[in-house]
Amino acid sequence: MLTRLTDADVQQSRQSLSDHLSQWLGWTDAIALSAALNTSPPVIAPGARMFSSAEERECARVRNTLADAIASDTAATAAKRIAPGQAPVKKPAALAEADADYSNFRQRYLSLQHTMETSIGNLRSRLRGMVAAKNGEMTRLAVVDAIMDRALLPKERALLGAIPKLLQAHFERLRKAEEAALAQAAADAEAQPADAESAVDAEEPAGADAAAQAAAPAVGITPGAWLDTFRADMRSVLLAELDVRLQPVEGLLATLRAS
């Protein structure tokens, strides 16, 4: 999706998952993983909360809440704020389109990322505790998940944190494309009266047809449509990121259902 929106030429990686992990994990992480896989799992104190349909509902609630936050936030107008006492010199609709400031979108994207990381992280920790309470092998799996979570979090933040910068280029490209289209439409509209008059003056059989074609209105371009397009694209990227962030949670859920 990001490749399509940013026109980036990204080649598909030929490295395996294990090769990627070897680059992302430090030597301390490797030692911790080795210990978790080759030693007896820790003993979990009795009384841990067991998995039930309540956790299924909680996972669905977290997903829906985050998806709703993304939908409502990206639908809001992100125009430059007007200082107190300063009267706008444009109509509100024109102001939202012409003065759209990407810094507002970037701030909201980062805020939503923080909300996703916090909410999903808490949910993942909760499910991990339930996995650990099952039995020895499940406890080992929970320990591995905790190590991977801690080890990969910095890389995850770096990769996902680069998305707002990529979207900024898409934002500017959409704005400039509409500006160019509107300028071309205005130039064509100015040229139409002269073309129509020339066609009428020319005493040729095709003169009337040429005049009609010249006088025909150009295909309408709605000012500000680029901003709606960008909001929709930003929403799609955020929802895709939400799905990626929820993958470890889905894995823990599948483990709990099968156990």
Side-chain angles (χ1 to χ4, degrees):
M1 180 181 294
L2 286 174
T3 301
R4 175 179 60 83
L5 295 180
T6 60
D7 292 333
D9 185 15
V10 180
Q11 300 296 327
Q12 185 174 2
S13 176
R14 296 182 179 180
Q15 288 184 309
S16 64
L17 176 60
S18 58
D19 290 335
H20 278 298
L21 288 177
S22 67
Q23 297 174 4
W24 295 348
L25 298 177
W27 65 270
T28 54
D29 302 318
I31 292 175
L33 280 174
S34 178
L37 293 172
N38 297 304
T39 60
S40 299
V43 177
I44 302 299
R49 183 170 179 174
M50 303 304 293
F51 178 71
S52 67
S53 59
E55 276 62 48
E56 294 269 14
R57 292 193 297 271
E58 176 62 13
C59 291
R61 186 196 67 79
V62 170
R63 176 188 284 274
N64 292 335
T65 298
L66 291 172
D68 289 344
I70 290 170
S72 61
D73 195 271
T74 53
T77 300
K80 290 181 179 178
R81 295 180 179 177
I82 301 175
Q86 178 183 357
V89 295
K90 303 176 183 178
K91 295 180 180 179
L95 183 69
E97 185 277 323
D99 290 344
D101 186 357
Y102 183 74
S103 63
N104 292 318
F105 285 100
R106 180 175 60 248
Q107 184 60 38
R108 294 310 304 154
Y109 199 106
L110 293 173
S111 177
L112 287 167
Q113 282 186 320
H114 177 73
T115 301
M116 284 191 285
E117 180 179 315
T118 302
S119 300
I120 295 173
N122 292 337
L123 182 60
R124 183 176 180 179
S125 297
R126 180 176 172 181
L127 294 176
R128 185 190 299 138
M130 295 179 184
V131 170
K134 289 291 184 179
N135 54 54
E137 288 305 312
M138 289 294 188
T139 302
R140 190 193 309 277
L141 176 61
V143 172
V144 170
D145 181 72
I147 295 171
M148 296 296 288
D149 186 13
R150 183 183 67 249
L152 297 181
L153 184 58
K155 185 69 174 180
E156 178 184 280
R157 284 175 175 168
L159 291 174
L160 297 178
I163 294 177
K165 185 176 181 180
L166 294 174
L167 286 177
Q168 182 173 9
H170 182 53
F171 177 91
E172 296 297 341
R173 184 164 50 252
L174 288 175
R175 184 206 293 267
K176 291 178 181 178
E178 183 174 291
E179 289 175 351
L182 289 173
Q184 183 62 49
D188 293 344
E190 291 179 358
Q192 282 180 0
D195 293 342
E197 184 177 351
S198 299
V200 171
D201 291 341
E203 296 180 356
E204 298 179 1
D209 293 338
Q213 292 177 2
V219 177
I221 300 175
T222 304
W226 71 272
L227 196 54
D228 293 332
T229 299
F230 177 77
R231 289 195 186 100
D233 290 339
M234 177 173 162
R235 180 165 57 251
S236 297
V237 172
L238 278 165
L239 290 174
E241 180 177 332
L242 175 61
D243 287 338
V244 170
R245 288 179 179 271
L246 282 169
Q247 286 180 358
V249 170
E250 295 293 343
L252 292 172
L253 273 176
T255 300
L256 288 167
R257 294 189 191 108
S259 60

